[in-house]
Amino acid sequence: MNYALRKRILVTGGAGFLGSHLCERLLADGHDVLCLDNFFTGTKDNIAHLLDNPYFELMRHDVTFPLYVEVDEIFNLACPASPIHYQFDPVQTTKTSVHGAINMLGLAKRVKAKIFQASTSEVYGDPAIHPQPEHYWGNVNPIGPRSCYDEGKRCAETLFFDYRRQHDLRIKVARIFNTYGPRMHPNDGRVVSNFIVQALRNAPITLYGDGTQTRSFCYVDDLIEGFVRLMDSPDDLTGPVNLGNPGEFTMIELAEAVKALTGSRSELVHEPLPQDDPRQRQPDIALARERLGWAPKVALREGLRPTIDYFDQLLRERD
Ligand code: NAD
Ligand code: UDP
Ligand code: UDP
């Protein structure tokens, strides 16, 4: 690519599920990528295929500590994302979101980089309005088991907007809704990975509660396209911008789809619903459609196929 167009881009959490797909995409677009990760939930397996690329650099570092590098753009993704992982060490989860945001914003301020924050639909908590537009302030329990993640991410958003107001930083805040695809962690307890692994093993598929709660699932390639469009959008578009697939499914529907696609003999069983589990969640993506010309293209069944193939291969290697 034209040297003048090549950007030096930092991806924190780059060895994770979303981060590894983002690094791949940025390299394919001709950029110079610095992938930073402390390998808490991410793994070198996710980015091993990129290590031979001279424009890819891997750095072991924890975002809660300062970082001095020279870059043009920062994608701040570092943070455990599944309830099992973020509740393992909740204080560290808050530190990662809050101290991590402060350090990355401080870095962006010093080098005048544009900075993107991977926020989450969890900032809406257990939403009282449906679907959720960006101007909805949310319904979050500040002292529950999910709050280290939810409130950490909310505080990170606050910091992004204060750095913009106080220091005129160019910020981009994406509120990501449930995303799935290859390189999801097989043991992260999230519903898509759980159901697929259970189905492939013909083990019982665990529906928490009665299974009528809903989620909207976005395929990873669609989401990454949204990330890139948001980062490249005009400076006045700070977000927050919802990125997700509005197709809404109950957990029973998801279980049936996974069963059909895997040809599994698994039975569906019910287990207790975790505390503060949101009843329903669906993104309102009108803003992303209008300002980014973005909408997801991959239907659930279409995206489940490569995801199932990924887990099938992984389980064969492990078993
Ligand atoms: P992931 O766990 O696969 O990736 C997170 C990465 O961050 C991992 O590689 C992990 O090792 C790294 N990390 C964690 N703490 C760190 C620290 N202190 N310093 C450096 N690295 C650290 O999760 P993911 O699904 O790829 O999520 C990426 C981002 O997107 C997260 O910020 C998450 O909150 C956000 N997000 C994801 C989803 C989703 O459905 N996947 C939904 C909403 C928001
Ligand atoms: N920081 C960093 N890299 C940089 C510049 C700053 O990690 O290149 C960290 C620094 O440790 C500081 C934080 O970012 O704690 C916030 O920086 P800022 O300049 O906003 O605040 P201050 O240094 O005045 O506390
Ligand atoms: N869930 C389920 N069985 C599982 C794992 C999760 O029924 O084995 C439910 C969970 O209670 C929640 C939904 O699936 O209602 C999505 O859970 P996940 O942890 O994937 O995402 P989040 O709750 O953070 O949206």
Side-chain angles (χ1 to χ4, degrees), residues 8-288:
R8 297 162 303 172
I9 304 181
L10 168 65
V11 179
T12 79
F17 162 46
L18 299 180
S20 61
H21 286 274
L22 178 62
C23 288
E24 237 171 35
R25 167 66 189 265
L26 296 173
L27 288 169
D29 287 350
H31 300 298
D32 195 325
V33 175
L34 173 56
C35 168
L36 177 154
D37 210 291
N38 71 348
F39 302 110
F40 171 40
T41 51
T43 147
K44 286 185 187 163
D45 293 337
N46 287 342
I47 35 111
H49 61 296
L50 304 177
L51 290 171
D52 284 341
N53 187 324
Y55 295 103
F56 181 77
E57 224 176 322
L58 176 62
M59 184 179 186
R60 182 190 289 267
H61 180 82
D62 189 312
V63 283
T64 60
F65 296 104
L67 175 75
Y68 289 84
V69 291
E70 309 304 312
V71 289
D72 304 304
E73 291 181 353
I74 302 167
F75 283 91
N76 187 36
L77 273 61
C79 186
S82 74
I84 288 184
H85 289 147
Y86 68 66
Q87 289 170 13
F88 172 75
D89 183 350
V91 174
Q92 178 63 19
T93 299
T94 303
K95 282 186 189 169
T96 293
S97 274
V98 177
H99 292 182
I102 291 175
N103 287 328
M104 292 307 107
L105 287 161
L107 169 63
K109 184 180 117 192
R110 182 179 61 80
V111 301
K112 300 187 171 38
K114 204 191 306 188
I115 180 165
F116 172 107
Q117 168 67 357
S119 191
T120 167
S121 55
E122 281 286 312
V123 302
Y124 300 123
D126 190 3
I129 63 168
H130 195 71
Q132 294 84 52
E134 289 85 352
H135 56 76
Y136 175 52
W137 288 354
N139 177 30
V140 172
N141 175 355
I143 56 169
R146 293 176 88 102
S147 46
C148 58
Y149 184 71
D150 301 8
E151 297 290 15
K153 289 284 188 179
R154 286 171 70 95
C155 184
E157 286 199 9
T158 308
L159 286 160
F160 268 68
F161 280 84
D162 279 334
Y163 266 80
R164 171 158 177 98
R165 283 185 284 262
Q166 226 172 308
H167 301 297
D168 211 21
L169 246 61
R170 290 174 296 156
I171 61 161
K172 305 283 176 188
V173 176
R175 289 190 179 148
I176 305 163
F177 284 65
N178 300 54
T179 302
Y180 68 100
R183 301 197 204 119
M184 281 185 97
H185 204 292
N187 303 322
D188 69 2
R190 282 193 262 192
V191 71
V192 174
S193 40
N194 267 12
F195 284 5
I196 294 178
V197 170
Q198 290 161 345
L200 289 171
R201 291 188 163 140
N202 292 309
I205 293 182
T206 52
L207 287 166
Y208 298 163
D210 63 7
T212 59
Q213 70 271 38
T214 67
R215 291 293 186 276
S216 306
F217 299 101
C218 186
Y219 188 62
V220 62
D221 290 356
D222 280 334
L223 186 80
I224 299 301
E225 178 64 30
F227 280 18
V228 170
R229 287 189 189 210
L230 178 57
M231 189 59 128
D232 293 345
S233 65
D235 287 349
D236 70 298
L237 182 62
T238 57
V241 177
N242 287 339
L243 294 177
N245 191 325
E248 189 181 355
F249 297 88
T250 66
M251 296 311 105
I252 296 174
E253 287 169 334
L254 176 67
E256 295 294 358
V258 168
K259 243 189 105 166
L261 288 169
T262 50
S264 172
R265 299 187 303 277
S266 295
E267 51 169 342
L268 307 188
V269 297
H270 291 272
E271 289 190 2
L273 192 66
Q275 190 188 331
D276 292 341
D277 198 87
R279 271 299 307 159
Q280 53 181 14
R281 196 186 282 143
Q282 185 194 28
D284 176 336
I285 59 163
L287 181 63

